[in-house]
Amino acid sequence: MTEHLRDVPEHIAERARVIIQLAENTDAIHVADILTPWVREDPELFVQVLIAIALMADKDRRIKEAHAAYGRGERSPSIISLEREYQRNRVRKTRTLKQHKEDGEGAA
């Protein structure tokens, strides 16, 4: 989902990545403990980051739905456009995973 952060200003994107990582790897109580000081310090930025995450989640959902529709044979311009984005993201992710694997083998 973080590939959609390209459309978001970098300072907001970086914070969104942190929240996504926390949500994936930590229980809700710890996430709240970590985020509470930030919310108090800069509530406006926090809201912007949450909006960016919501928009990313919505775009991610639309891309996945379009990919399924493409698989069913639908070929509207919007589905084709989102399918292309799905394929670009998949290639980018595969490349990243391959690079991480090669970096890990080189270090061993």
Side-chain angles (χ1 to χ4, degrees), residues 21-92:
Q21 282 295 114
L22 282 172
E24 291 175 348
N25 300 313
T26 311
D27 61 80
I29 298 293
H30 287 101
V31 172
D33 288 343
I34 293 167
L35 296 180
T36 299
W38 176 32
V39 174
R40 288 184 182 136
E41 179 185 310
D42 195 346
E44 184 178 332
L45 178 60
F46 186 76
V47 169
Q48 290 175 350
V49 170
L50 291 182
I51 291 169
I53 291 171
L55 292 172
M56 288 183 324
D58 181 61
K59 188 168 186 180
D60 191 53
R61 179 189 53 78
R62 288 185 296 119
I63 287 173
K64 288 177 181 174
E65 289 173 355
H67 177 64
Y70 191 87
R72 292 189 304 270
E74 297 179 34
R75 297 296 188 269
S76 72
S78 64
I79 288 176
I80 290 171
S81 174
L82 290 169
E83 173 64 15
R84 287 181 179 149
E85 188 163 350
Y86 174 88
Q87 295 300 332
R88 282 191 305 271
N89 291 340
R90 192 183 71 148
V91 167
R92 188 178 299 113

